[in-house]
Amino acid sequence: MALASVSFYPIVNGLYLSLTNTSLISQENDFTGFANYVELWNDPLFWNAWWHTIWFTFASTTLETLIGLAMALILCEAFSGRGLVRAAMLVPWAMPTVVTSKMFGWLFDGQHGIINFVLLHLGLIDQNVNWYGSPDTAMTTIIIADVWKTTPFMALLLLTGLQTVPKSLVEAARMDGAKAWVIFWNIRLPLLMPTLLIAGLFRALDAFRVFDLVYVLTGGGPADSTETLSTLSYKVLFSTLQFGYGSAVSTAMFITEGLIALAFCLYLVRQIRRTT
């Protein structure tokens, strides 16, 4: 009972607040129905943050899944020092996100960053790039930081899935002369697909809630080019103190996450039925 109240009361209270005009600035607290959602639908700032969140989720999850799968395939093979490599692989994931954000802030610093230094000496750029100060590059650098931090998590999940593939099938295919790509495509990938989809679901839902990485690196700027739903709801709730409208933003975020989870689950069930 206590756990249920702690879990569901904030959700129910948030839904109720989203139907009011509660604000600590105007001291209003009236029931307004779906007025906040109508305003949300017509708010370009909301849709700007929504599209940024969708793009960040898609790009980071796709890259982390592909790179993580490649890392898992390598770590699944026997080689000298594999245990050390596996342990070292988890270092980026174990680092606090704020530490990662500060580190990448220094790496991509527009004036004294290592990235600009290396690219200048390689002749790939002719002047320093303001990575976080330009709307054209800010989101890309945030995605790179997230991929560096979270890819080991995906690799760990996929490595666990690869180790459940029967070795007898792989060895039999090798004895029949099958190449590595054929073995992966016809044996490992079909059996790995449920794990792959579940790992992708976990990562997509986590990426959709991104806050600390964006807040520390750009704060949603420049010119709202990296604004996400999490940073937008934070600003509305705690900067403007509009609890009603901020709760509506959070509820819309929750609904979108639910739709993403539903799409993953439907596809997962379809794949499981096809496999069986």
Side-chain angles (χ1 to χ4, degrees), residues 165-229:
V165 176
K167 294 182 179 180
S168 57
L169 295 178
V170 178
E171 292 174 356
R174 287 173 177 171
M175 291 179 64
D176 290 338
K179 296 182 179 180
W181 173 253
V182 176
I183 295 175
F184 168 76
W185 190 258
N186 293 284
I187 298 178
R188 282 178 165 170
L189 184 59
L191 296 176
L192 184 65
M193 188 58 68
T195 303
L196 192 66
L197 290 173
I198 293 173
L201 171 61
F202 287 160
R203 182 59 205 131
L205 295 180
D206 188 48
F208 194 83
R209 300 191 301 268
V210 62
F211 173 77
D212 40 8
L213 194 63
V214 177
Y215 187 78
V216 173
L217 286 175
T218 64
D224 297 329
S225 61
T226 60
E227 192 79 274
T228 62
L229 289 177

Side-chain angles (χ1 to χ4, degrees), residues 25 56 83 93 102 106 110 131 227:
I25 300 296
F56 175 86
W93 180 50
K102 286 296 185 180
W106 294 330
W131 298 100
E227 192 79 274

Side-chain angles (χ1 to χ4, degrees), residues 58-253:
F58 171 78
S60 61
T61 302
T62 301
L63 290 173
E64 288 159 12
T65 301
L66 294 176
I67 300 174
L69 179 58
M71 294 172 61
L73 288 170
I74 294 174
L75 294 174
C76 192
E77 302 297 327
F79 59 87
S80 179
R82 182 175 63 173
L84 180 62
V85 174
R86 287 182 177 181
M89 177 191 71
L90 296 176
V91 172
W93 180 50
M95 292 177 60
T97 305
V98 174
V99 176
T100 300
S101 303
K102 286 296 185 180
M103 182 180 69
F104 272 84
W106 294 330
L107 288 173
F108 285 91
D109 182 79
Q111 296 297 323
H112 310 289
I114 298 175
I115 300 299
N116 276 336
F117 176 82
V118 173
L119 294 179
L120 281 171
H121 281 73
L122 292 177
L124 298 178
I125 58 175
D126 54 7
Q127 60 181 358
N128 287 333
V129 177
N130 189 8
W131 298 100
Y132 294 113
S134 171
D136 298 328
T137 56
M139 181 59 77
T140 300
T141 50
I142 291 176
I143 292 173
I144 292 173
D146 188 73
V147 169
W148 181 86
K149 174 175 174 54
T150 318
T151 296
F153 171 73
M154 292 294 291
L156 183 64
L157 293 179
L158 297 178
L159 177 61
T160 304
L162 282 173
Q163 290 177 337
T164 63
V165 176
K167 294 182 179 180
S168 57
L169 295 178
V170 178
E171 292 174 356
R174 287 173 177 171
M175 291 179 64
D176 290 338
K179 296 182 179 180
W181 173 253
V182 176
I183 295 175
F184 168 76
W185 190 258
N186 293 284
I187 298 178
R188 282 178 165 170
L189 184 59
L191 296 176
L192 184 65
M193 188 58 68
T195 303
L196 192 66
L197 290 173
I198 293 173
L201 171 61
F202 287 160
R203 182 59 205 131
L205 295 180
D206 188 48
F208 194 83
R209 300 191 301 268
V210 62
F211 173 77
D212 40 8
L213 194 63
V214 177
Y215 187 78
V216 173
L217 286 175
T218 64
D224 297 329
S225 61
T226 60
E227 192 79 274
T228 62
L229 289 177
S230 293
T231 57
L232 177 64
S233 61
Y234 172 82
K235 292 175 181 178
V236 174
L237 282 166
F238 298 106
S239 296
T240 65
L241 300 179
Q242 299 179 51
F243 287 176
Y245 189 67
S247 297
V249 176
S250 299
T251 302
M253 181 178 175

